Amino acid sequence: SSDEEVIEAKNTLNVMSSSINLRNQTFKALQEGYYPIVLGGDHSQAIGSIAGMKRFMPDTKIIWVDAHIDANTPDSSPSRNAHGMPLAYLTGQINQHKHWNCVDMRKDVCYFGIRSYEDEEAQFISDNNVLVFEPKDCQNNRMNKINAVMNRYYHSVRGYEDKSKYWISFDIDSIDAEQFKSTGTAEGNGLSIEFVSKLFETFTARSIGMDLTEVNFELTAG
């Protein structure tokens, strides 16, 4: 197809430029022994941060905590915003940007909290047999709920091992909108702050860095 027929995300040049810079900075920080905490902005930052992390330690697993699957392509996205596409870039789904391809959905990614997505994204994670914990799987209706979730995680057929290292890519909209409103993409029926705190306790010690995205304190309860 001609260049005129190529559909791109909005602000692609800016997103790609910042992603290259962030990839290099994340790799450098890890190489120098730091624990990078990448503060966004929106979740398109994960293109750069995870690409840098994968360059440094390719076997690292990704804990994606989010209301959204974030694997839209410019063709499937109604908004064409890149913050809904980071995993599409990182898995080589976007033809003109295949050089970002460094993530294997089948073995690298586990989702917590997703509940808002396009049909194409749901099909993508189904086709790749991605491990998903929806909010209903994580409700704190008994004391050992986090243990039950972790047992399912560790004993899944995903090939996760006790020695695995993790990158946590955390979007604040994973938390129920009633508990945290300061985000532009608030979604109801989400994770509790209590569960997310326990999730961090579980994974942080074995993580090598994290994203923290979509916080906007200019947006508060009216």
Side-chain angles (χ1 to χ4, degrees):
S1 58
S2 68
D3 290 343
E4 287 74 28
E5 293 172 324
V6 172
I7 300 174
E8 289 273 20
K10 292 177 181 175
N11 302 314
T12 296
L13 290 178
N14 288 336
V15 172
M16 292 297 98
S17 175
S18 62
S19 295
I20 290 167
N21 184 44
L22 185 52
R23 177 191 63 197
N24 296 340
Q25 292 298 321
T26 303
F27 175 76
K28 183 172 182 284
L30 288 165
Q31 198 173 41
E32 293 176 356
Y34 292 102
Y35 182 99
I37 299 175
V38 186
L39 302 175
D42 66 50
H43 219 155
S44 65
Q45 73 177 43
I47 302 168
S49 61
I50 289 176
M53 174 273 288
K54 280 290 191 177
R55 177 183 287 180
F56 177 74
M57 191 178 289
D59 292 335
T60 302
K61 310 299 183 188
I62 300 162
I63 306 299
W64 198 280
V65 190
D66 201 332
H68 309 95
I69 292 175
D70 281 359
N72 261 315
T73 65
D75 291 310
S76 68
S77 170
S79 70
R80 288 184 32 246
N81 289 322
H83 64 74
M85 305 180 194
L87 281 166
Y89 283 98
L90 291 165
T91 55
Q93 288 190 81
I94 302 177
N95 288 331
Q96 59 272 33
H97 301 284
K98 283 189 178 293
H99 56 283
W100 288 103
N101 186 7
C102 61
V103 170
D104 182 344
M105 292 295 289
R106 290 182 179 273
K107 67 178 186 178
D108 287 346
V109 178
C110 175
Y111 283 106
F112 285 88
I114 60 169
R115 56 204 186 271
S116 176
Y117 41 81
E118 307 304 324
D119 291 344
E120 293 90 341
E121 294 178 290
Q123 190 64 52
F124 176 64
I125 63 170
S126 176
D127 290 346
N128 285 282
N129 193 28
V130 180
L131 186 60
V132 174
F133 294 96
E134 296 178 13
K136 68 174 187 285
D137 300 319
C138 306
Q139 288 169 355
N140 288 296
N141 52 12
R142 61 183 191 273
M143 288 295 289
N144 65 346
K145 188 62 178 176
I146 187 72
N147 294 331
V149 168
M150 290 303 104
N151 283 338
R152 182 181 154 203
Y153 177 81
Y154 289 128
H155 293 97
S156 71
V157 295
R158 309 299 307 144
Y160 291 87
E161 300 174 12
D162 285 341
K163 63 185 179 182
S164 294
K165 295 293 186 182
Y166 300 97
W167 180 272
I168 301 169
S169 201
F170 176 66
D171 189 322
I172 198 71
D173 66 33
S174 61
I175 295 176
D176 190 276
E178 288 302 309
Q179 294 196 25
F180 192 93
K181 298 180 183 294
S182 298
T183 177
T185 50
E187 300 280 357
N189 302 312
L191 301 175
S192 68
I193 290 175
E194 180 188 6
F195 180 85
V196 170
S197 296
K198 291 180 178 178
L199 193 68
F200 272 80
E201 286 177 24
T202 301
F203 285 112
T204 302
R206 284 165 53 196
S207 65
I208 63 171
M210 68 172 66
D211 297 304
L212 176 57
T213 75
E214 304 279 1
V215 178
N216 183 352
F217 288 115
E218 291 183 357
L219 300 173
T220 56

